């Protein structure tokens, strides 16, 4: 992640902000990658539901790379940006930033592209409203 990308994220509000707990640590003293992935999926689901104006489900996660570990005293923020909206699906870029030293340092942790499908009451794919394309892709 470039310095410009990091500066751009600082201007946005995170979709989710979480303080990891000691139970989320692996044997190396870092936060489990699976815990980070679940927080990203929660944040992505929140954003996808806004875009789809209803229920969604995760259908794909593109390659992720862990850039830096999350430590026990970090506060993580998950930022979401809509990359594309299809007929029934939405792709959301999720970036995780760790805030260290009481917010003095921002450390990019990971990024991933998550795809969600909009669901109807029978849990079948449904069309995403056109108004979402105007609102989230402009």
């Amino acid at each position: 992640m470039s310095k410009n990308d990091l500066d751009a994220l600082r201007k946005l509000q995170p979709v989710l902000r979480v303080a990891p707990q000691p139970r989320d640590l692996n044997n190396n003293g870092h936060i489990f990658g699976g815990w980070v992935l679940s927080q990203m999926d929660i944040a992505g689901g929140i954003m996808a539901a806004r875009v789809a104006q209803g229920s969604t489900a995760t259908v794909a996660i593109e390659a992720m790379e862990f850039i830096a570990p999350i430590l026990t005293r970090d506060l993580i923020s998950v930022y979401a940006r809509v990359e594309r909206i299809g007929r029934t699906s939405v792709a959301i870029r999720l970036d995780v930033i760790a805030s260290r030293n009481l917010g003095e340092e921002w450390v990019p942790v990971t990024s991933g592209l998550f795809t969600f499908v909009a669901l109807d009451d029978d849990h079948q794919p449904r069309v995403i409203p056109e108004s979402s394309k105007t609102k989230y892709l402009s």
Side-chain angles (χ1 to χ4, degrees), residues 34-60:
W35 181 86
V36 178
L37 184 66
S38 71
Q39 301 309 306
M40 294 172 78
D41 197 34
I42 291 167
I46 291 168
M47 189 68 183
R50 289 178 188 165
V51 172
Q53 298 177 26
S55 296
T56 62
T58 309
V59 293

Side-chain angles (χ1 to χ4, degrees), residues 1-82:
M1 176 175 290
S2 73
K3 183 179 180 338
N4 288 342
D5 291 338
L6 195 55
D7 288 342
L9 286 179
R10 283 181 188 254
K11 296 175 184 171
L12 301 174
Q13 289 294 318
V15 174
L16 184 68
R17 190 167 273 160
V18 182
Q21 302 300 305
R23 68 180 174 268
D24 303 318
L25 291 172
N26 63 23
N27 290 338
N28 297 318
H30 303 142
I31 302 304
F32 282 110
W35 181 86
V36 178
L37 184 66
S38 71
Q39 301 309 306
M40 294 172 78
D41 197 34
I42 291 167
I46 291 168
M47 189 68 183
R50 289 178 188 165
V51 172
Q53 298 177 26
S55 296
T56 62
T58 309
V59 293
I61 301 170
E62 290 190 21
M64 289 177 48
E65 178 182 359
F66 288 93
I67 303 163
I70 295 174
L71 308 177
T72 53
R73 294 188 178 170
D74 288 348
L75 176 65
I76 69 153
S77 298
V78 184
Y79 295 87
R81 292 173 287 157
V82 175

Side-chain angles (χ1 to χ4, degrees), residues 68-71 73-75 98-107:
I70 295 174
L71 308 177
R73 294 188 178 170
D74 288 348
L75 176 65
S99 175
R100 292 199 176 132
N101 303 320
L102 300 173
E104 293 295 317
E105 182 181 3
W106 271 37
V107 179

